[in-house]
Amino acid sequence: MAEKSPDSSGSVDQCPALSPEQRMQSPGIGASKWVRLNVGGTYFLTTRQTLCRDSKSFLYRLCQADPDLDSDKDETGAYLIDRDPTYFGPVLNYLRHGKLVLNRGLAEEGVLEEAEFYNIPSLIKLIKDKIRERACKTFQLPIKHVYRVLQCQEEELTQMVSTMSDGWKFEQLVSIGSSYNYGNEDQAEFLCVVSKELHNQSYGTSSEPSEKAKILQEQGSRM
């Protein structure tokens, strides 16, 4: 780049002095847009824009040279942060693209500790939601069903189905012909299959869907 020649007075044109705030906002002047971090002995290189993504975070204050924030630098000029570098990676990537990406073997609880240390509210909420979701899946027992096969006549069918309660659900209806009672017309008979989710209940505590219905097992014992 060519230098300007001095004018007749012998002075050389100079850039006007900038305040510290202007230097922070002007790339290439005073402060680089790139920031080097030494986290637990591991170096990370990122931009000030990334670190300033959340104005409430420790990293934002670090880039603003907050006088209340005592931050030392090593011999290379990198900010020294005494934290686990393994879990800092996901935090930094979140600030880069807004997504939480965990390598295999990394615990969400570890990243949560770092998010809380760096005071990044949106990341804290995201991780807590994921931990809560994972806990629900872990402790949710497989849903078990109990099935009952009930025998009823045609005139009882509508009442039985309409009065089912306590979580019982109609599954299938099978016609088994008709029965003849002396003095009465033939009555069509059906087998009605019903089911119920047990959750944490035991099979022995489930209630009957209808007092009038006969369990097929009882029918089998008479045959």
Side-chain angles (χ1 to χ4, degrees):
M1 182 177 179
E3 295 182 356
K4 291 186 177 181
S5 58
D7 58 18
S8 58
S9 64
S11 63
V12 179
D13 293 340
Q14 296 180 351
C15 295
L18 297 177
S19 66
E21 290 77 8
Q22 290 173 320
R23 290 178 179 271
M24 288 291 292
Q25 297 173 1
S26 302
I29 301 178
S32 169
K33 69 175 182 178
W34 292 97
V35 180
R36 189 176 172 88
L37 305 174
N38 182 344
V39 182
T42 300
Y43 287 96
F44 294 86
L45 186 63
T46 186
T47 65
R48 291 181 182 275
Q49 181 180 3
T50 295
L51 296 181
C52 293
R53 194 78 66 186
D54 191 317
S55 61
K56 298 179 181 179
S57 72
F58 166 90
L59 298 170
Y60 177 89
R61 295 173 59 196
L62 190 71
C63 290
Q64 301 302 316
D66 190 331
D68 296 330
L69 193 63
D70 186 16
S71 300
D72 295 328
K73 293 183 179 181
D74 64 10
E75 62 278 4
T76 69
Y79 288 103
L80 285 166
I81 303 177
D82 186 22
R83 302 295 295 183
D84 189 342
T86 303
Y87 288 102
F88 178 71
V91 174
L92 183 58
N93 284 332
Y94 173 79
L95 292 175
R96 285 169 172 157
H97 48 60
K99 297 179 181 179
L100 177 62
V101 180
L102 297 180
N103 293 332
R104 181 172 299 180
L106 285 185
E108 291 168 333
E109 287 80 0
V111 183
L112 177 60
E113 287 290 333
E114 299 308 298
E116 291 177 339
F117 172 81
Y118 295 109
N119 191 32
I120 306 175
S122 58
L123 180 56
I124 293 172
K125 181 180 183 303
L126 176 61
I127 299 175
K128 286 185 175 180
D129 289 344
K130 287 184 174 294
I131 292 175
R132 190 178 300 111
E133 181 181 349
R134 184 195 65 196
C136 290
K137 291 181 179 179
T138 301
F139 292 105
Q140 182 179 8
L141 298 176
I143 298 178
K144 297 179 180 179
H145 292 81
V146 59
Y147 291 87
R148 295 199 179 276
V149 182
L150 311 170
Q151 181 180 358
C152 62
Q153 293 183 343
E154 184 177 5
E155 62 180 10
E156 299 174 321
L157 182 60
T158 302
Q159 181 181 2
M160 185 194 71
V161 173
S162 63
T163 57
M164 284 193 303
S165 60
D166 300 326
W168 287 99
K169 182 174 65 174
F170 173 78
E171 294 287 348
Q172 186 178 4
L173 185 67
V174 180
S175 174
I176 58 173
S178 60
S179 62
Y180 175 78
N181 293 325
Y182 181 77
N184 296 323
E185 297 181 355
D186 291 351
Q187 290 286 333
E189 292 194 346
F190 297 90
L191 297 180
C192 183
V193 182
V194 295
S195 69
K196 179 180 181 181
E197 292 182 2
L198 287 185
H199 300 291
N200 294 328
Q201 300 178 9
S202 62
Y203 284 94
T205 59
S206 57
S207 58
E208 299 295 336
S210 171
E211 294 181 357
K212 292 186 177 183
K214 301 176 182 178
I215 301 176
L216 183 60
Q217 293 176 345
E218 297 180 356
Q219 181 195 30
S221 65
R222 298 194 302 267
M223 294 177 63

